[in-house]
């Protein structure tokens, strides 16, 4: 049981390039989400999904795209990278259990856009 | 707008000592209050989750309290260890999986 995995761990892009951050979970969780973490700020929700085929925007969705074709995978696409997207990106998954659901985070992808 | 404020921003203590981290939240509707531990270069790991009807929950040497009336929570760490050095993040949970994250308290435990 690997939990939540993310690839790559590190990535450097040039402005305007596109790329996909991969996220996978093997816990059969319905809910998956992407956050970004910037210095001096709390984690901010980019996009989330409550099940295969269903996605929705979070707090900071501009410049990012997602899809959820399977329960296991939830890739995040940067359409045209900008320096403002330099950040650490975390993927998370959870299954609803009672009133509070435990959210499991991946190890993160550190992205630098030059 | 939902907000979570944590204090102090950073804290240095000696190994073996106790400490308490504070969290004030404004989250509506409010469902639950979480504390996460984030080691440097790693993803956050859940320590405790309390629903609005709970006022305390423990996880080993970590004890969280919740006062839903004053919208305050605290995380008490007993007999600190070097491995407790990390950022501790308070999170307010709302409806439909919506979470509001605090900026974290950076704890350093020195020998």
């Amino acid at each position: 049981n690997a939990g939540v995995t993310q690839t790559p761990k590190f990535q450097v892009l040039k402005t305007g390039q596109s790329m996909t951050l991969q996220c996978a979970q093997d816990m059969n969780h319905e809910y998956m989400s992407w956050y970004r973490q910037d210095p001096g700020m709390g984690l901010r929700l980019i996009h989330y999904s409550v099940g295969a085929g269903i996605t929705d925007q979070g707090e900071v969705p501009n410049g990012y795209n997602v899809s959820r074709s399977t329960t296991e995978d939830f890739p995040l696409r940067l359409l045209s990278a900008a320096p403002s997207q330099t950040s650490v990106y975390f993927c998370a998954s959870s299954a609803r259990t009672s009133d509070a659901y435990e959210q499991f985070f991946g190890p993160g992808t550190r992205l630098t856009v030059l | 707008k939902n907000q979570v404020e944590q204090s102090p921003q950073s804290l240095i203590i000696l190994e073996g000592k106790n400490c308490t981290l504070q969290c004030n939240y404004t989250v509506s509707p409010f469902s639950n209050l979480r504390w996460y531990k984030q080691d440097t270069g790693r993803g956050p790991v859940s320590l405790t989750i309390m629903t609005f009807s709970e006022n305390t929950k423990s996880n080993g040497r970590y004890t969280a309290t919740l006062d839903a009336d004053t919208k305050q929570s605290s995380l008490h760490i007993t007999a600190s260890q070097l491995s407790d050095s990390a950022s501790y993040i308070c999170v307010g949970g709302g409806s439909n999986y919506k979470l509001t994250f605090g900026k974290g308290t950076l704890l350093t435990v020195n020998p």
Side-chain angles (χ1 to χ4, degrees):
Chain A
N1 194 331
V4 180
T5 58
Q6 292 183 237
T7 56
K9 284 189 167 58
F10 301 94
Q11 183 71 48
V12 178
L13 292 178
K14 294 181 180 178
T15 297
Q17 287 184 315
S18 62
M19 78 159 295
T20 299
L21 280 62
Q22 301 292 344
C23 173
Q25 53 92 7
D26 60 359
M27 297 173 281
N28 201 31
H29 286 167
E30 292 181 348
Y31 180 77
M32 296 185 74
S33 54
W34 277 102
Y35 294 90
R36 60 179 289 173
Q37 186 174 40
D38 300 296
M41 301 186 74
L43 275 79
R44 292 182 292 168
L45 182 65
I46 303 172
H47 284 285
Y48 66 97
S49 169
V50 298
I54 306 169
T55 64
D56 206 347
Q57 296 181 350
E59 182 185 356
V60 288
N62 292 340
Y64 307 95
N65 212 344
V66 292
S67 60
R68 184 95 179 272
S69 56
T70 67
T71 299
E72 295 77 21
D73 299 299
F74 190 43
L76 178 72
R77 281 182 287 277
L78 277 70
L79 308 173
S80 177
S84 60
Q85 293 179 305
T86 293
S87 187
V88 181
Y89 292 85
F90 290 100
C91 179
S93 76
S94 62
R96 182 173 284 279
T97 56
S98 70
D99 292 335
Y101 45 93
E102 183 164 4
Q103 195 160 73
F104 297 85
F105 285 84
T109 294
R110 184 174 294 274
L111 175 69
T112 301
V113 183
L114 303 176
Chain B
K1 181 182 177 183
N2 291 340
Q3 285 186 320
V4 173
E5 302 287 340
Q6 294 187 243
S7 62
Q9 284 187 335
S10 62
L11 182 63
I12 301 174
I13 62 174
L14 291 176
E15 186 178 13
K17 298 296 186 183
N18 303 336
C19 68
T20 300
L21 313 181
Q22 303 290 345
C23 173
N24 295 321
Y25 64 91
T26 305
V27 174
S28 182
F30 176 70
S31 172
N32 55 80
L33 193 290
R34 303 149 180 260
W35 285 93
Y36 287 87
K37 179 187 180 190
Q38 185 175 22
D39 292 317
T40 301
R42 310 287 290 270
V45 174
S46 179
L47 292 175
T48 63
I49 303 173
M50 292 177 289
T51 64
F52 60 85
S53 60
E54 297 176 288
N55 54 28
T56 187
K57 183 162 279 190
S58 292
N59 179 357
R61 294 179 295 101
Y62 302 99
T63 299
T65 64
L66 174 63
D67 186 333
D69 291 331
T70 62
K71 297 183 172 55
Q72 294 180 325
S73 177
S74 66
L75 181 69
H76 186 75
I77 304 175
T78 304
S80 61
Q81 301 176 357
L82 298 179
S83 59
D84 292 331
S85 294
S87 179
Y88 291 84
I89 303 172
C90 177
V91 183
S95 60
N96 297 324
Y97 300 96
K98 295 295 173 64
L99 301 178
T100 303
F101 289 78
K103 297 178 183 179
T105 291
L106 183 62
L107 175 66
T108 302
V109 181
N110 286 334

